[in-house]
Amino acid sequence: MWSSPFLTTPVSVSQIMLRVLYALIPGVALYVWYFGPAILVSITLAVVTAVATEAAMLKLRNRPLKPFLSDNSALITACLLALSIPPLAPWWLIVIGTAFGIAVAKHLYGGLGSNTFNPAMVGYAVLIISFPAHMTQWLAPGMLSLLQLPFSAQLSYIFSGHLPSGSTLDALTMATPLDTLKTQLHLGLSVDEIRSMPIYGYLAGKGSEMVALGFALGGIYLIAARIIPWVLPAAYLGTLFIIAAVFHQIDPEHYVGPLFHLFSGAAMLGAFFIFTDPVGSPTTFRGRVIYACSAALLTWLIRTFGGFPDGVAFAALLMNMCVPLIDAWTQPSVFGKKEGKR
Amino acid sequence: MALSGDSFKAIEMRTLHHFHGGIHPPTHKSQSTGTGIATLPLPEKLVVPLHQHVGNCAVPEVRVGEHVLKGQRIGRPEGRQSSAVHAPTSGTVAAIDMQTVAHASGMPDLCVTLIPDGKDEWIAHAGVDYRNTSHTDLRHMLRDAGVVGLGGAVFPSDIKSYSRHHKITTLVINGAECEPYITCDDMLMRERPRDILRGAEVLRELLYADEVLIGIEDNKPEAIAAMRKALEQDGHQHMEVIAVPTLYPGGGAKQLILVLTGVEVAAGVRSTEKGVQCFNVATAWSVWRAIAHGEPLLSRIVTVTGNVEHAQNFEVLLGTPVQELVAYAGNKPDTGRYIMGGPMMGVDLPNSSVGVTKATNCIIAASPALFPPPQPALPCIRCTRCTDVCPAELQPQDLYWFAKSNNFGKAQEFSLFDCIECGACAYVCPSHIPLVHYYRYAKSEILVRDHDKRAADLARERHEFRQFRIEREKQEKAERLAQKERAAAEAKAKAVTELPTQVDPAADADDTQQLRIDAALARAKEQAAAASPRNTELLTPEQRSEVEAIEARRAKIHKIASDAGADDEPPKRN
């Protein structure tokens, strides 16, 4: 016999995931505008790899293909990873990262809903540890690069590793704004001196600040559509802002300002798309506050004192680990059993 | 009194409170409110269950073949928590047997089958003026009239209208009717508001309540207007009709109490402990009919809706087969199943021949088009949409996880039994997980295990005591035997010392005979001495200390036996 409730909403997991993908559109569009269409190649490679890996793993695990392939979750993993690594990287880089993320971080942990760690961030961590050199070949925004490489040449580089004669990789790529800041600070320059370098724009890196803005726009849509809880991005960005502001106030020579932090690296992508992954984040309100604030602190610490230019991926992975504990700690009282209430 | 000053102020200011979560499912109510309450023609057969309420099953008072009148009691309430059952019309008792009833379990229950004679002839009945009647008598009348909660819980109203230990501040009359499709309370409030309010007045009198708050969801403006008009017309004091926001499950008693009074009644706590009692509007109406007119509960209003030509409310005699009801409303051929109650908390009826009971507020004819089969479930992605809508403020995704992994201890720790099974979580789940199903499973498993554990504990205790008793009896027997042997050996030794060291069997046969007799006498004497343990003068110090040690052991064993709550016979002594 059938049991109540007999009604359900038409909302499905695949719809939710699809909306998250829609929310990435503004950021990706601005990416293409400032850095050229190479990112679309990375995304395509990642998506193809993700779907193939997902299908293979489902087959190995004897799970039905259709409901799980159509849940769209692998597409999000693919897009987030593609957006986290340099677009002008050899094709196998994104393929290895995506395949590892889907096969190991997702399916070996039990598949959709059971992955302790964010698969995209695991893929990213594997790549930055295994292939650090390739992970620094970031495209310079169009307005900065000395040499405009046609898209066909970029494609050729991605797949064959050959650049047209006369052009070098150094002319096309550059270190990220966060990386440059770190290197130059080590060389003894002050924050103000570094910020006046041509790669920096209004808030952070030229071009990349606009992409971050695009991610923020998509994120606001996700909050409005109630796909993600507002508290996660709010607590994350708020904490990052406050920490950066306090240190910048104390020592503006050595600590860069809060807006620079918010619009650099993967902070915006993380705030709205990575830390909000429901599977790897806490389920209670207080838990979410603790999680997001800690993630912001870790991001800032890794950026400021750590060995890697950005700290979002590691902050996400470290906080993923703490989620069961945070959830257990922050169980709210149930109806009629709250303290201080009758 | 538990109610503090600030909440009292809140009540006076009519500030409405909010419960956590809730959902807005499509209401589907307008399809059954187009026409008024119609009366169903007399069915050919009524199957009246004797157990239509919470508590003990009513005891049948009629015999097969007996002719009964409308309103005649056919089931006598049994024990403190029970309610009477009556013949809904005049006719002949055709059978008293076990039949499938309208209940989620699908289990058969004792029913009286009545063949109406078509005369609908009433038994003599008369009402009383409740103001001149003692409360005890009024409650007896309610019990004998079979009045129970008609909101679906069917708890005997006579018990609920009595609060000895707690002062009742507020009587809440529940006209919220939050479930989709159901409109029986709506139509009752539109058409019979005056008797509802009079019934509420009786209940207020019985509970000595200070005020009566009637909560109606604001998607029922006609009902609200009708009730307000009746309230004004009859000049009821300390009574107010309050429109509450439409939000499922706002008609749950605890949710409505919170919205109207700000009082949260936790699971396992009675609302009377917090100074509030709650009755459904239809119950209030039945109370008035029972008290003022002496009419027992013979029928109720049932919404017939869903896959039917004319969805409508009917005044239906209890025991009317569901199939006759839906047929009258124009059941469409593709109806596959029948839901009793609403689509959120209702039950899938085992078959359509079951009779309408006091709990049947709505029958939904369900077709695959209206209620498509559940979609295949995907894994939980911890999106917490369920947590966001849970009115009990639970963590449904965690409870699901614990139930699924049979981690029942953890499920209880996370307040599984505070779940009211409203279904809001399953309604919003994007993975289409039948969450409530898992909670019901876990709850029943826990109840079964608790029961089994209690039974096993009892069996083990009994077994252990039996082992102990057998062991003790064995010991006692061995002791007695040892004592006997010792006594015999002593006697023998004595006899031997008196004998010459060397006995020549041929020497003097008479002497030997005499000696044997002496020895036997001595043995008997010894035995008598051993049987009375205080008589130890003849014993050697060693023997005495041995006897004392034995006595001490015995006393110890007896003490253990009596400590263990021995209910068997005292240990035997020779």
Side-chain angles (χ1 to χ4, degrees):
Chain A
M1 218 159 61
W2 198 19
S3 76
S4 61
F6 306 103
L7 288 180
T8 53
T9 38
V11 177
S12 65
V13 172
S14 59
Q15 268 179 17
I16 291 173
M17 300 286 179
L18 207 59
R19 286 193 199 166
V20 175
L21 288 172
Y22 291 155
L24 283 169
I25 289 175
V28 173
L30 286 163
Y31 205 123
V32 173
W33 177 260
Y34 284 102
F35 295 94
I39 183 67
L40 299 176
V41 180
S42 307
I43 290 177
T44 313
L45 276 171
V47 164
V48 170
T49 311
V51 172
T53 315
E54 180 100 341
M57 291 308 289
L58 287 169
K59 201 89 186 157
L60 281 173
R61 294 176 57 218
N62 281 328
R63 294 291 191 279
L65 287 184
K66 196 175 162 262
F68 286 101
L69 277 183
S70 60
D71 69 28
N72 296 331
S73 61
L75 303 187
I76 295 181
T77 301
C79 291
L80 291 180
L81 184 54
L83 289 168
S84 309
I85 70 169
L88 202 63
W91 64 270
W92 49 262
L93 197 69
I94 184 78
V95 169
I96 290 176
T98 312
F100 190 89
I102 298 279
V104 177
K106 186 176 182 184
H107 281 284
L108 293 192
Y109 276 81
L112 178 71
S114 301
N115 47 293
T116 312
F117 298 101
N118 186 318
M121 293 303 105
V122 170
Y124 174 86
V126 165
L127 293 181
I128 202 156
I129 290 166
S130 312
F131 312 103
H134 290 296
M135 292 291 279
T136 55
Q137 294 166 2
W138 288 89
L139 273 175
M143 54 218 175
L144 285 180
S145 89
L146 308 169
L147 182 87
Q148 288 295 337
L149 197 60
F151 183 52
S152 59
Q154 290 189 0
L155 269 183
S156 146
Y157 176 75
I158 291 171
F159 288 101
S160 68
H162 295 301
L163 283 172
S165 57
S167 59
T168 60
L169 204 59
D170 286 350
L172 292 167
T173 63
M174 60 171 218
T176 63
L178 273 174
D179 219 357
T180 310
L181 176 77
K182 196 171 231 170
T183 323
Q184 298 301 327
L185 279 173
H186 268 294
L187 293 175
L189 291 183
S190 77
V191 165
D192 274 344
E193 286 165 332
I194 302 167
R195 283 295 311 274
S196 60
M197 290 167 73
I199 65 162
Y200 293 103
Y202 307 105
L203 301 166
K206 257 186 199 148
S208 57
E209 61 191 8
M210 292 299 161
V211 176
L213 200 64
F215 291 141
L217 281 177
I220 288 162
Y221 156 73
L222 288 181
I223 292 174
R226 293 176 176 262
I227 305 276
I228 58 171
W230 62 268
V231 63
L232 283 171
Y236 178 78
L237 295 175
T239 309
L240 190 57
F241 186 96
I242 290 167
I243 300 172
V246 166
F247 278 84
H248 184 64
Q249 208 60 43
I250 294 169
D251 184 359
E253 287 250 317
H254 292 99
Y255 297 99
V256 75
L259 286 173
F260 184 90
H261 269 288
L262 295 193
F263 285 88
S264 288
M268 283 294 174
L269 191 66
F272 293 103
F273 294 90
I274 294 168
F275 294 112
T276 52
D277 172 18
V279 181
S281 58
T283 53
T284 62
F285 183 85
R286 281 189 302 147
R288 283 170 176 160
V289 172
I290 293 170
Y291 170 87
C293 294
S294 314
L297 179 64
L298 283 172
T299 305
W300 186 84
L301 285 172
I302 296 170
R303 280 180 174 183
T304 312
F305 305 110
F308 293 98
D310 201 354
V312 171
F314 290 104
L317 295 176
L318 288 170
M319 290 318 296
N320 282 160
M321 274 185 238
C322 308
V323 166
L325 189 64
I326 295 175
D327 271 346
W329 268 350
T330 57
Q331 281 304 310
S333 312
V334 305
F335 182 88
K337 295 181 182 169
K338 295 179 200 88
E339 272 175 41
K341 262 205 126 175
R342 285 155 296 116
Chain B
M1 183 51 235
L3 216 65
S4 66
D6 62 339
S7 78
F8 206 84
K9 214 186 298 164
I11 289 167
E12 285 185 339
M13 286 162 63
R14 288 299 161 252
T15 315
L16 292 186
H17 302 259
H18 299 279
F19 63 90
H20 180 265
I23 53 171
H24 288 107
T27 59
H28 295 287
K29 283 180 189 272
S30 57
Q31 61 198 73
S32 55
T33 53
T35 35
I37 301 169
T39 306
L40 203 71
L42 265 184
E44 282 177 17
K45 181 179 88 168
L46 295 169
V47 184
V48 187
L50 287 167
H51 198 189
Q52 300 188 44
H53 47 264
V54 174
N56 302 324
C57 183
V59 179
E61 289 191 300
V62 287
R63 288 182 317 276
V64 176
E66 192 176 330
H67 184 266
V68 291
L69 292 172
K70 178 176 189 163
Q72 183 178 335
R73 202 169 75 173
I74 56 175
R76 167 171 52 81
E78 167 93 332
R80 162 136 172 76
Q81 190 175 310
S82 186
S83 197
V85 178
H86 305 79
T89 184
S90 57
T92 315
V93 177
I96 302 171
D97 56 2
M98 300 298 274
Q99 300 217 25
T100 309
V101 295
H103 189 267
S105 68
M107 299 286 279
D109 211 343
L110 195 59
C111 294
V112 173
T113 305
L114 187 69
I115 307 296
D117 58 11
K119 293 181 203 152
D120 208 24
E121 196 181 333
W122 265 101
I123 196 167
H125 62 285
V128 297
D129 183 347
Y130 73 95
R131 281 160 296 200
N132 305 330
T133 313
S134 79
H135 286 189
T136 313
D137 287 348
L138 289 176
R139 276 190 278 269
H140 273 296
M141 283 180 78
L142 292 181
R143 177 174 154 103
D144 277 338
V147 178
V148 298
L150 296 181
V154 288
F155 194 87
S157 299
D158 56 301
I159 300 175
K160 268 183 82 180
S161 57
Y162 181 52
S163 179
R164 184 171 47 177
H165 300 295
H166 305 278
K167 161 89 184 93
I168 301 297
T169 313
T170 308
L171 169 63
V172 169
I173 299 294
N174 188 345
E177 203 167 53
C178 61
E179 273 244 29
Y181 286 97
I182 310 177
T183 57
C184 59
D185 289 346
D186 185 2
M187 295 311 289
L188 185 80
M189 288 187 285
R190 290 190 203 187
E191 297 189 10
R192 308 170 189 178
R194 295 181 73 174
D195 282 359
I196 297 174
L197 298 183
R198 288 167 180 150
E201 202 66 77
V202 175
L203 290 169
R204 181 163 80 112
E205 175 73 30
L206 285 172
L207 287 162
Y208 303 102
D210 295 337
E211 57 169 0
V212 181
L213 303 183
I214 302 158
I216 306 171
E217 280 196 348
D218 55 15
N219 61 355
K220 292 180 253 305
E222 298 89 346
I224 294 169
M227 294 283 277
R228 283 196 174 141
K229 192 173 158 219
L231 195 148
E232 215 171 292
Q233 217 174 344
D234 292 342
H236 292 284
Q237 295 297 307
H238 312 290
M239 198 184 269
E240 191 176 345
V241 174
I242 300 164
V244 298
T246 300
L247 180 65
Y248 179 84
K254 293 187 173 185
Q255 280 68 40
L256 187 64
I257 288 172
L258 170 59
V259 168
L260 291 177
T261 67
V263 173
E264 282 190 15
V265 184
V269 176
R270 292 211 178 114
S271 65
T272 47
E273 291 174 35
K274 307 274 189 175
V276 187
Q277 183 60 292
C278 180
F279 285 92
N280 174 268
V281 283
T283 315
W285 186 81
S286 305
V287 165
W288 180 252
R289 298 309 296 181
I291 301 293
H293 302 273
E295 290 174 11
L297 188 60
L298 306 181
S299 63
R300 64 157 299 147
I301 314 235
V302 182
T303 309
V304 183
T305 184
N307 197 38
V308 291
E309 296 290 347
H310 7 268
Q312 202 182 346
N313 282 279
F314 294 97
E315 172 106 42
V316 183
L317 295 179
L318 301 174
T320 304
V322 165
Q323 57 203 15
E324 292 206 23
L325 188 55
V326 286
Y328 193 73
N331 194 12
K332 293 182 193 167
D334 60 332
T335 298
R337 49 158 57 91
Y338 300 92
I339 297 166
M340 182 176 100
M344 297 303 296
M345 294 183 76
V347 298
D348 188 17
L349 285 179
N351 63 56
S352 63
S353 60
V354 296
V356 164
T357 69
K358 294 173 184 176
T360 312
N361 49 6
C362 179
I363 297 288
I364 304 174
S367 64
L370 278 179
F371 296 95
Q375 298 176 53
L378 280 176
C380 168
I381 56 166
R382 294 166 46 95
C383 69
T384 65
R385 278 170 171 69
C386 48
T387 312
D388 295 343
V389 299
C390 180
E393 294 165 72
L394 304 173
Q395 299 284 313
Q397 80 282 345
D398 289 332
L399 290 175
Y400 157 68
W401 188 253
F402 298 138
K404 197 183 174 190
S405 51
N406 286 1
N407 194 348
F408 298 131
K410 206 77 178 144
Q412 274 178 287
E413 203 183 296
F414 275 60
S415 312
L416 171 68
F417 282 91
D418 289 33
C419 168
I420 58 169
E421 298 181 21
C422 69
C425 51
Y427 177 76
V428 297
C429 180
S431 291
H432 307 296
I433 301 168
L435 292 162
V436 183
H437 210 79
Y438 282 94
Y439 308 148
R440 288 193 186 114
Y441 159 75
K443 283 181 186 176
S444 61
E445 281 297 300
I446 291 167
L447 293 176
V448 166
R449 281 179 191 202
D450 279 358
H451 179 263
D452 287 356
K453 190 174 172 295
R454 266 200 302 276
D457 282 350
L458 199 65
R460 198 180 57 241
E461 259 168 44
R462 280 189 182 143
H463 175 74
E464 278 170 0
F465 182 71
R466 182 170 174 271
Q467 295 291 98
F468 165 78
R469 200 187 61 213
I470 290 170
E471 189 58 32
R472 186 191 63 201
E473 281 169 1
K474 215 159 58 188
Q475 257 180 31
E476 282 171 0
K477 207 170 166 187
E479 255 165 54
R480 281 198 304 272
L481 215 70
Q483 240 166 15
K484 251 184 205 168
E485 276 167 9
R486 229 177 2 257
E490 241 165 66
K492 206 172 176 184
K494 229 183 215 171
V496 166
T497 47
E498 281 164 22
L499 277 174
T501 34
Q502 283 202 338
V503 182
D504 183 358
D508 195 346
D510 281 356
D511 273 8
T512 319
Q513 186 68 21
Q514 186 57 47
L515 278 174
R516 277 193 188 138
I517 291 164
D518 286 351
L521 280 174
R523 260 204 311 275
K525 208 174 169 185
E526 276 295 319
Q527 252 174 12
S532 54
R534 296 289 152 225
N535 189 8
T536 51
E537 291 91 342
L538 293 173
L539 299 180
T540 61
E542 295 94 300
Q543 280 171 327
R544 201 175 296 154
S545 69
E546 199 175 42
V547 167
E548 269 161 15
I550 290 165
E551 279 301 316
R553 269 210 301 282
R554 258 192 193 183
K556 204 169 149 194
I557 289 164
H558 291 159
K559 191 176 179 301
I560 291 167
S562 57
D563 284 354
D567 55 346
D568 66 339
E569 71 286 348
K572 284 178 211 122
R573 304 181 73 168
N574 303 348

